Each structure stands twice: as structure tokens, then as C-alpha cells.
Amino acid sequence: MRPRIVYVHGNGNKVRSELLKSQWDTALFGRDMAEASRMAYWAPVRYPEPLPDFRTDPMNGRPELIEELPAPSDLAGAEPPEEFVARTLEEARLEAGDTGLEARAGADEGALAAWLRDMTYLADTLALSGEQDEPGAELPLEALPLPRQGRTALFRLLVKHSFKDVHAYFFGGAGPAMREVVKEQLDGLDGGPLVVVGHSLGTIIAYEVLMEQAREVELLVTVGSPLAIAEVQDHLARPPAVPAGVAAWRNASDLRDLVALDHTLRPEYAPEERVTDLLVTNDSSNHHGISEYLAQHEVRAPVQRIFDGAG
């Protein structure tokens, strides 16, 4: 049986499903994989219409997108960090309240809010100090061609969407529908080697589905994942562990990725010999872009070996 791969996208709205799948295929394999790949496209759970074709995804951190966005002040680019945190948390609460779950959110969200604060302060630190090509190697601020306020707005855009979508998943009633999308894409794929690739919030959704289904997965790949963060682990349906059917798990992150503040899954997800944590360089402007993650040799090579070996 031929290998199959299921993608689970991350935070924020996306282009239509077919185009998004082709973009991931191209980044990971260099070509469209046709029926060999599937996209678990959960964006409609949160967003009524997809992004226009080929519009820059703000979650991928393209600096040119700043020209298409509201003024940085409207994105809280100059707002003090604690005010930004409080406003983002209140907006997330209001969204959860629309589903009638505000009581649960108010009781449980405190730990998750610590992640929001940590992301915000890291975002502001990066915006202030400029980027680093690798740990310890300072580059001039011009490496990201935006004024500081624009850099702050870009990073905070990632923080805001990441937190609000994760909050919606855990507290806003969106989690079951998101997981159902992944289950539907996994249906009917028994028999051949299976690879599951998740990005950002998509890693949480994929992980929880695999914990529930315990289906055989030859390789689980997570990139830019918050699964190592204690505040996120506190809200998982089951204690952290490698899903029973997962033979190998590779987790890749950039040290500057705001979403993946903790970069090591091995200490918490047993059996640790199945887990490999990788530090890679993601040079998208917010260090969280999916194409840059999928293009990394450490991410691509083990996936391609499964497909080449079956050929």
C-alpha cells in the first residue's frame, strides 16, 4: 500500500483547502502530491470565508503584508504589553462567551494566559533587539525591513491569533469540530504507511485525535508546536504521552518562534525514545512560517524516505 500524508494547518484563516494542500506539498516534496496527501482544513470552524488565492498569510510573517493591514496602532503595535495581554484575553473571553462557555473559560484560562504574556514579551523583545540568524549572532535591525512599530505589530499579530484560536479550541467550543475535521481526513487511510504533519495549533489538534484513536502512524511531524508548554499541557484531554500508535515523532522549532516557547517534548512525552526534538532555522519574518519549516532538511528527509522507500 502506498504511503499517505495528512496535514493539519495552524492558527489563523487560510486560502482554500486545495490550494493550501498544494502549497504544503510543494514546500515539503517540491511537487503536488495529488491523492497521496490530504489537508485537514479546519479554518471554516473559525472563519466564514477563506483568504483570497495567493494572498500572503499573516501567520507566515511576510513583512510586505504590513502594507495591507490596518495601521500598527490599530494592531496594538505601540500598546504596553500588559494592556495588549489584557485586551487580547478579554476578546478571547467574549468569543468564548458567545458559545455560553464563559464560566468554564473564566475558571480555567489563568494558566493559559501565562503563555499569552510570555509570547507577548518575547515578541516585544524580538521587535526591539532585531533578529538573530542563529543564537548569539546579532544582525542589524534592517534584517527585517520594517520600523520597530511595524515589527511589533507583525509579531503581535501572531501572538493574538495564536492565543485566540487556541483559546477557542480549549474554551470556545471549537475543539470538537476541529478534531472532527482531522478524523474525517484520516478515515479510509488504513493499510499503508501514514505520516501526519501538524503546524502550530494544528499540532494540538492532531495530537489529541491520535491520542483518542490510537491508530498506526509511521511518523508524526510537529513544527512550531506549543505542545511542550506546560500551560497548554494543563488543558489536554489526557496526560502527555506519545500516542500509542505513533512509531516515531519529530518535533521541530526555531528558538525565536513565539508559539513554540518550549522546544523539548522528550522530557514530558514518554516513551522518550520515540521523540526527536530538533532546533531548526525558520527565517520567515516571525520565525513561524509553515513553508520555511517544511523546507528544512531535518523535516523533509524522514518524510521523503518513507515515500521513496515505498516506491
Side-chain angles (χ1 to χ4, degrees), residues 8-10 40 42 165 169 174-183 199-211 227 236:
V8 189
H9 71 78
W42 59 261
D165 281 351
Y169 176 80
M178 292 178 180
R179 291 192 295 273
E180 187 60 31
V181 172
V182 177
K183 293 174 186 177
H199 176 227
S200 197
L201 171 56
T203 69
I204 298 175
I205 305 170
Y207 168 78
E208 294 219 286
V209 169
L210 294 177
M211 286 291 285
L227 278 168
L236 298 175

Side-chain angles (χ1 to χ4, degrees), residues 127-138:
L128 175 64
S129 64
E131 300 188 300
Q132 296 181 6
D133 187 43
E134 57 185 73
E138 284 286 341

Side-chain angles (χ1 to χ4, degrees), residues 64-129:
E64 62 268 22
L65 185 71
I66 290 293
E67 298 178 2
E68 304 175 26
L69 293 173
S73 59
D74 294 334
L75 290 169
E79 191 176 20
E82 286 300 328
E83 291 182 15
F84 171 77
V85 168
R87 186 168 58 84
T88 301
L89 185 56
E90 182 60 25
E91 290 173 1
R93 286 171 179 158
L94 290 173
E95 290 184 14
D98 289 341
T99 68
L101 297 179
E102 66 267 36
R104 179 190 164 193
D108 294 347
E109 72 187 1
L112 194 61
W115 176 51
L116 169 61
R117 285 191 294 272
D118 288 345
M119 282 196 295
T120 301
Y121 279 99
L122 177 58
D124 285 12
T125 298
L126 287 173
L128 175 64
S129 64

Side-chain angles (χ1 to χ4, degrees), residues 66 71-74 76-79 127 146-155:
I66 290 293
S73 59
D74 294 334
E79 191 176 20
L146 293 169
R148 179 185 169 189
Q149 190 177 39
R151 293 194 302 271
T152 302
L154 183 68
F155 287 130

Side-chain angles (χ1 to χ4, degrees), residues 23 51 53 58 72 96 118 133 143 145 153 166 180 185 214 234 239 245 256 275 277 279 289 292 299 305 310:
Q23 291 172 348
L51 295 176
D53 285 4
D118 288 345
D133 187 43
V166 171
E180 187 60 31
Q185 293 303 320
D234 288 343
R256 304 159 295 179
V275 181
D277 291 309
L279 291 178
E292 287 77 5
V299 174
R305 278 196 296 270

Side-chain angles (χ1 to χ4, degrees), residues 23-304:
Q23 291 172 348
W24 283 45
D25 281 345
T26 301
L28 187 57
F29 294 98
R31 65 187 187 280
D32 191 289
M33 296 298 288
E35 297 301 316
S37 64
R38 294 183 174 188
M39 174 60 69
Y41 186 71
W42 59 261
V45 174
R46 292 272 293 152
Y47 304 94
E49 297 291 337
L51 295 176
D53 285 4
F54 299 105
R55 177 183 170 182
T56 301
D57 183 346
M59 296 302 97
N60 284 343
R62 306 298 187 198
E64 62 268 22
L65 185 71
I66 290 293
E67 298 178 2
E68 304 175 26
L69 293 173
S73 59
D74 294 334
L75 290 169
E79 191 176 20
E82 286 300 328
E83 291 182 15
F84 171 77
V85 168
R87 186 168 58 84
T88 301
L89 185 56
E90 182 60 25
E91 290 173 1
R93 286 171 179 158
L94 290 173
E95 290 184 14
D98 289 341
T99 68
L101 297 179
E102 66 267 36
R104 179 190 164 193
D108 294 347
E109 72 187 1
L112 194 61
W115 176 51
L116 169 61
R117 285 191 294 272
D118 288 345
M119 282 196 295
T120 301
Y121 279 99
L122 177 58
D124 285 12
T125 298
L126 287 173
L128 175 64
S129 64
E131 300 188 300
Q132 296 181 6
D133 187 43
E134 57 185 73
E138 284 286 341
L139 288 179
L141 294 181
E142 289 75 17
L144 182 58
L146 293 169
R148 179 185 169 189
Q149 190 177 39
R151 293 194 302 271
T152 302
L154 183 68
F155 287 130
R156 287 194 180 182
L157 184 68
L158 174 61
V159 170
K160 185 171 184 176
H161 277 283
S162 298
F163 180 80
K164 290 177 73 173
D165 281 351
V166 171
H167 191 279
Y169 176 80
F170 285 122
F171 305 123
M178 292 178 180
R179 291 192 295 273
E180 187 60 31
V181 172
V182 177
K183 293 174 186 177
E184 290 173 357
Q185 293 303 320
L186 290 172
D187 285 347
L189 294 183
D190 295 330
L194 175 60
V195 177
V196 176
V197 178
H199 176 227
S200 197
L201 171 56
T203 69
I204 298 175
I205 305 170
Y207 168 78
E208 294 219 286
V209 169
L210 294 177
M211 286 291 285
E212 179 182 339
Q213 293 194 342
R215 64 179 298 135
E216 291 188 6
V217 175
E218 185 159 340
L219 179 64
L220 171 62
V221 178
T222 53
V223 295
S225 175
L227 278 168
I229 296 167
E231 293 85 355
V232 170
Q233 293 174 15
D234 288 343
H235 301 293
L236 298 175
R238 293 172 174 82
V242 178
V246 172
W249 184 351
R250 292 177 74 85
N251 177 61
S253 61
D254 186 299
L255 284 173
R256 304 159 295 179
D257 188 336
L258 307 176
V259 179
L261 287 176
D262 189 324
H263 306 276
T264 55
L265 294 176
R266 280 175 64 94
E268 292 92 13
Y269 290 80
E272 65 179 29
E273 61 268 17
R274 294 192 205 169
V275 181
T276 302
D277 291 309
L278 304 163
L279 291 178
V280 299
T281 300
N282 185 323
D283 279 334
S284 60
S285 295
N286 63 8
H287 314 296
H288 189 65
I290 182 59
S291 295
E292 287 77 5
Y293 270 131
L294 295 180
Q296 296 296 312
H297 174 77
E298 297 91 337
V299 174
R300 301 179 77 179
V303 176
Q304 293 178 348

